[in-house]
Amino acid sequence: KAGVTQTPRYLIKTRGQQVTLSCSPISGHRSVSWYQQTPGQGLQFLFEYFSETQRNKGNFPGRFSGRQFSNSRSEMNVSTLELGDSALYLCASSPEGVGNEQFFGPGTRLTVL
Amino acid sequence: GQNIDQPTEMTATEGAIVQINCTYQTSGFNGLFWYQQHAGEAPTFLSYNVLDGLEEKGRFSSFLSRSKGYSYLLLKELQMKDSASYLCAVRSTWGDYKLSFGAGTTVTVRA
């Protein structure tokens, strides 16, 4: 099975712009979670989608949003970018039901100038 | 709130044993995960504990004490490729995929 894929892998934006990141989960996985990883804060949960519905949300401002499509692919959007949004954005997928493992994608490295 | 603590760095010699501790104070508990993350790569799953006790998987073992809010990851027969960051994560709600991560422990294995 192919792993979780994320596009793009690297992105450079300027303050005030918006960005959309994409995640394709492992085939058959319906849960997709998004995390932000920074050196100072570590891995922080953004949100989780299951069958096109947001099931959980972390403590991030409304500038961070996401959605999931019927094929389980997910996108996250960050509007009005700030310097502090520079981070590695990781997507993880899990199988249907109560799975014990999340499979992470390689991440998208976002740099905001 | 969630509070998950683990040491920032550890150094050990090839062939030795290292124990990475993780303490947690969370609003609920339904499982503790350990992930390994090599520099520039995605985290990969190592272990999962939901009941007290030791889970062994080859050179890696993970222990959990729910009453103490404590877990450790034991790495035996260290190899150079074990140099990585090790992340402790807690799931608060059963069936929930929202994980709270510790800051990670960077393990450096020296020859």
Side-chain angles (χ1 to χ4, degrees), chain B residues 63-81:
Chain B
F63 171 83
L64 175 66
S65 169
R66 289 172 296 170
S67 62
K68 294 181 180 177
Y70 167 71
S71 172
Y72 69 72
L73 179 70
L74 196 68
L75 285 61
K76 293 176 276 188
E77 299 169 19
L78 279 173
Q79 302 176 9
M80 300 298 286
K81 67 178 181 180

Side-chain angles (χ1 to χ4, degrees), chain B residues 17-93:
Chain B
I17 298 173
V18 69
Q19 177 174 315
I20 306 169
N21 296 325
C22 172
T23 58
Y24 62 89
Q25 292 175 304
T26 56
S27 55
F29 180 84
N30 271 285
L32 187 140
F33 299 75
W34 284 96
Y35 281 84
Q36 179 192 59
Q37 186 176 26
H38 285 99
E41 297 182 13
T44 54
F45 171 81
L46 287 178
S47 69
Y48 168 70
N49 295 69
V50 67
L51 299 176
D52 290 352
L54 188 68
E55 295 279 344
E56 296 188 80
K57 264 190 182 184
R59 296 188 298 112
F60 293 0
S61 304
S62 57
F63 171 83
L64 175 66
S65 169
R66 289 172 296 170
S67 62
K68 294 181 180 177
Y70 167 71
S71 172
Y72 69 72
L73 179 70
L74 196 68
L75 285 61
K76 293 176 276 188
E77 299 169 19
L78 279 173
Q79 302 176 9
M80 300 298 286
K81 67 178 181 180
D82 296 331
S83 292
S85 180
Y86 292 84
L87 308 171
C88 170
V90 172
R91 180 172 66 196
S92 299
T93 307

Side-chain angles (χ1 to χ4, degrees), chain A residues 9 31 33 35 37 40-45 48 50 55-59 88 90 94-107 109, chain B residues 1-2 30 32-33 35-37 40-48 50 57 85 87 89 91 93-104:
Chain A
R9 292 293 311 279
S31 169
S33 299
Y35 293 87
Q37 187 173 33
Q41 299 294 321
L43 261 166
Q44 291 190 290
F45 175 82
E48 184 233 351
F50 184 86
R55 248 191 342 193
N56 279 293
K57 191 175 189 307
N59 299 322
L88 179 67
L90 291 161
S94 302
E96 184 175 351
V98 180
N100 292 333
E101 181 175 351
Q102 288 187 320
F103 296 83
F104 283 84
R109 172 73 63 185
Chain B
Q2 320 289 65
N30 271 285
L32 187 140
F33 299 75
Y35 281 84
Q36 179 192 59
Q37 186 176 26
E41 297 182 13
T44 54
F45 171 81
L46 287 178
S47 69
Y48 168 70
V50 67
K57 264 190 182 184
S85 180
L87 308 171
R91 180 172 66 196
T93 307
W94 179 245
D96 195 314
Y97 288 106
K98 177 180 178 179
L99 298 183
S100 298
F101 281 82

Side-chain angles (χ1 to χ4, degrees), chain A residues 42-102:
Chain A
L43 261 166
Q44 291 190 290
F45 175 82
L46 280 156
F47 26 66
E48 184 233 351
Y49 287 87
F50 184 86
S51 293
E52 302 179 66
T53 301
Q54 186 181 86
R55 248 191 342 193
N56 279 293
K57 191 175 189 307
N59 299 322
F60 278 80
R63 300 185 296 106
F64 292 81
S65 62
R67 58 178 176 167
Q68 186 180 35
F69 302 94
S70 58
N71 62 357
S72 293
R73 189 178 71 85
S74 177
E75 288 181 347
M76 68 162 280
N77 186 76
V78 188
S79 62
T80 320
L81 284 167
E82 300 177 0
L83 295 179
D85 297 333
S86 293
L88 179 67
Y89 290 88
L90 291 161
C91 159
S93 76
S94 302
E96 184 175 351
V98 180
N100 292 333
E101 181 175 351
Q102 288 187 320

